[in-house]
């Protein structure tokens, strides 16, 4: 469930474009007016506003926003302007084509999305980056981590809730033989199971593994693997078990300790606000005993804080 709140009676995209243009005029930008409009429109409505703004003022809305806003609020609003699939493709392009490859961000986006979402993302990545996502992974990553991402992207997994008990037990045994039972680790078995099986199947494998061998599969992954490969496997497994809990944990990590990781916080809130943020907020409250909105309020400031809180809804 999305967390953004859309007014019951909406102004037209044309009127929204006029109000935004007014917010840009004069000395300084009326950022609150910009937030009040854009944070309360879904991706389709935002694309209509973009279209109207271009027709009426002969300039791109995103370009104008970039010139009027600055800092974290600029980053957050510009990321918000795209639809979810285009946004993910844009995040991945920046992750692979920056001065340094942002491996963690790329891994999180790829390993936490569904097969149907990944099909869309791959197509959009190609049109934005003018290269295939798989080519960038081959060129910029290596080892078991690279193999995992390529296999995960290239496999069409079932998205329904049904599982086959025999297959579940078969995979639990295969993972045991590939990890705990042997000296060293058979990484290819972990890659095969984690990239080819549905979320429902993997969640069932996790339960079966615990009852058959008395160990947590997540702990086995941590013990048998390391680095970005471990992070990829854990992201797949945790999202199979409960995506809401996974993203609640990532949000907690972004805000704990000295200082907030604003780029992670922006990405997590902006990418989930139209998907399942309402559910994530519930999981966050359950896991940490605090309201996500209250924590964001205390860890951010100014217009940036107002924008994120607007996306988090009621």
């Amino acid at each position: 469930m999305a967390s953004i709140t859309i007014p019951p009676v909406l102004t037209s995209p044309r009127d929204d474009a006029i109000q935004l243009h007014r917010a840009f005029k004069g000395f300084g930008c009326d950022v609150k007016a910009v937030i009040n409009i854009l944070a309360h429109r879904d991706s389709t409505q935002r694309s209509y506003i973009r279209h109207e703004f271009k027709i009426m003022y002969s300039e791109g809305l995103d370009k104008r926003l970039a010139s009027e806003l600055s800092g974290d609020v600029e980053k957050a609003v510009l990321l918000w302007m795209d639809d979810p699939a285009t946004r993910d493709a844009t995040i991945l392009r920046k992750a692979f084509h920056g001065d340094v490859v942002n491996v963690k961000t790329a891994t999180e986006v790829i390993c936490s999305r569904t097969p149907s979402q990944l099909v869309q993302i791959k197509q959009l990545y190609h049109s934005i980056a003018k290269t295939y996502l798989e080519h960038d992974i081959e060129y910029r990553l290596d080892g078991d981590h690279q193999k995992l991402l390529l296999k995960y992207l290239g496999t069409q997994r079932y998205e329904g809730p049904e599982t086959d008990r025999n297959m579940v037990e078969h995979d639990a045994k295969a993972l045991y033989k590939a990890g705990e039972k042997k000296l060293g680790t058979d990484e290819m078995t972990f890659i095969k199971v984690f990239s080819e099986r549905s979320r429902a199947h993997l969640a069932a494998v996790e339960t079966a593994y615990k009852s058959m061998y008395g160990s947590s599969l997540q702990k086995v992954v941590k013990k048998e693997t390391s680095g970005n490969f471990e992070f990829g496997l854990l992201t797949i497994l945790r999202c199979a078990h409960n995506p809401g809990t996974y993203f609640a944990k990532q949000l907690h990590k972004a805000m704990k300790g000295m200082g907030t990781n604003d780029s992670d916080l922006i990405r997590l809130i902006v990418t989930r606000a139209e998907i399942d943020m309402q559910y994530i907020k519930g999981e966050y409250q359950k896991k940490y005993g605090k309201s996500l909105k209250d924590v964001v309020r205390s860890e951010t400031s100014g217009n940036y804080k107002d924008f994120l809180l607007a996306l988090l809804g009621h």
Side-chain angles (χ1 to χ4, degrees):
M1 255 178 79
S3 59
I4 59 164
T5 51
I6 296 167
V9 181
L10 268 177
T11 48
S12 70
R14 184 183 172 84
D15 285 341
D16 282 342
I18 292 167
Q19 290 302 320
L20 285 168
H21 192 254
R22 257 184 217 149
F24 300 146
K25 281 168 76 177
F27 183 71
C29 173
D30 184 350
V31 183
K32 288 207 174 348
V34 172
I35 292 170
N36 284 339
I37 295 167
L38 295 178
H40 299 287
R41 303 293 185 271
D42 65 26
S43 61
T44 306
Q45 291 156 354
R46 295 193 303 277
S47 72
Y48 290 149
I49 296 167
R50 255 180 178 163
H51 178 70
E52 290 292 341
F53 194 92
K54 180 79 172 171
I55 289 170
M56 292 165 70
Y57 304 110
S58 302
E59 69 173 324
L61 177 54
D62 290 42
K63 194 174 175 185
R64 189 62 188 266
L65 286 164
S67 72
E68 296 286 346
L69 304 173
S70 62
D72 288 325
V73 74
E74 178 196 348
K75 288 177 200 160
V77 171
L78 288 175
L79 191 62
W80 176 243
M81 288 305 294
D82 285 322
D83 63 89
T86 306
R87 188 186 299 128
D88 281 345
T90 303
I91 290 167
L92 286 169
R93 184 183 64 80
K94 283 181 183 164
F96 282 116
H97 291 270
D99 294 335
V100 179
V101 178
N102 191 332
V103 183
K104 276 277 189 326
T105 295
T107 305
E108 179 206 281
V109 171
I110 292 167
C111 294
S112 65
R113 300 317 189 242
T114 65
S116 47
Q117 286 169 341
L118 288 173
V119 168
Q120 265 191 302
I121 291 164
K122 284 196 290 184
Q123 290 167 348
L124 288 160
Y125 189 93
H126 186 254
S127 67
I128 292 166
K130 309 301 179 210
T131 184
Y132 292 103
L133 178 55
E134 293 89 337
H135 287 180
D136 278 340
I137 290 169
E138 280 176 13
Y139 178 62
R140 294 174 183 274
L141 304 177
D142 56 24
D144 294 318
H145 177 238
Q146 180 210 62
K147 288 174 195 162
L148 174 69
L149 295 194
L150 287 173
K151 196 91 168 26
Y152 199 72
L153 272 175
T155 309
Q156 259 305 330
R157 288 171 296 283
Y158 171 64
E159 293 190 47
E162 293 86 3
T163 59
D164 178 325
R165 189 177 165 186
N166 291 333
M167 273 298 290
V168 166
E169 289 184 2
H170 172 272
D171 283 345
K173 281 176 192 167
L175 290 170
Y176 179 68
K177 284 178 188 169
E180 282 192 291
K181 195 180 177 186
K182 76 190 300 274
L183 191 63
T185 308
D186 173 6
E187 289 86 1
M188 289 313 294
T189 297
F190 278 84
I191 291 169
K192 180 179 170 60
V193 173
F194 278 62
S195 63
E196 292 182 4
R197 307 298 189 242
S198 71
R199 282 184 171 183
H201 180 93
L202 269 182
V205 169
E206 188 175 19
T207 304
Y209 195 99
K210 178 81 174 168
S211 68
M212 288 162 76
Y213 304 110
S215 308
S216 149
L217 190 51
Q218 287 192 37
K219 283 182 181 167
V220 171
V221 168
K222 286 178 186 175
K223 188 176 152 206
E224 298 291 333
T225 63
S226 61
N228 294 315
F229 180 48
E230 176 195 338
F231 180 66
L233 291 173
L234 286 175
T235 300
I236 292 166
L237 190 57
R238 286 166 178 164
C239 286
H241 180 69
N242 187 331
T245 304
Y246 170 78
F247 285 111
K249 194 170 183 180
Q250 295 308 109
L251 282 160
H252 179 69
K253 276 185 190 169
M255 293 184 285
K256 78 172 187 179
M258 290 292 288
T260 298
N261 185 329
D262 292 300
S263 60
D264 282 0
L265 186 62
I266 289 167
R267 183 184 70 257
L268 291 161
I269 292 179
V270 170
T271 57
R272 305 318 293 181
E274 286 179 285
I275 311 288
D276 54 0
M277 183 51 82
Q278 206 60 20
Y279 180 53
I280 293 165
K281 279 159 60 181
E283 292 298 313
Y284 191 96
Q285 178 79 47
K286 207 189 298 179
K287 192 166 178 60
Y288 301 107
K290 298 173 188 171
S291 148
L292 177 59
K293 277 191 83 169
D294 287 347
V295 178
V296 169
R297 190 179 281 113
S298 68
E299 293 293 331
T300 57
S301 60
N303 294 316
Y304 165 53
K305 173 177 79 174
D306 293 341
F307 183 66
L308 294 185
L309 290 176
L311 294 187
L312 288 171
H314 299 309

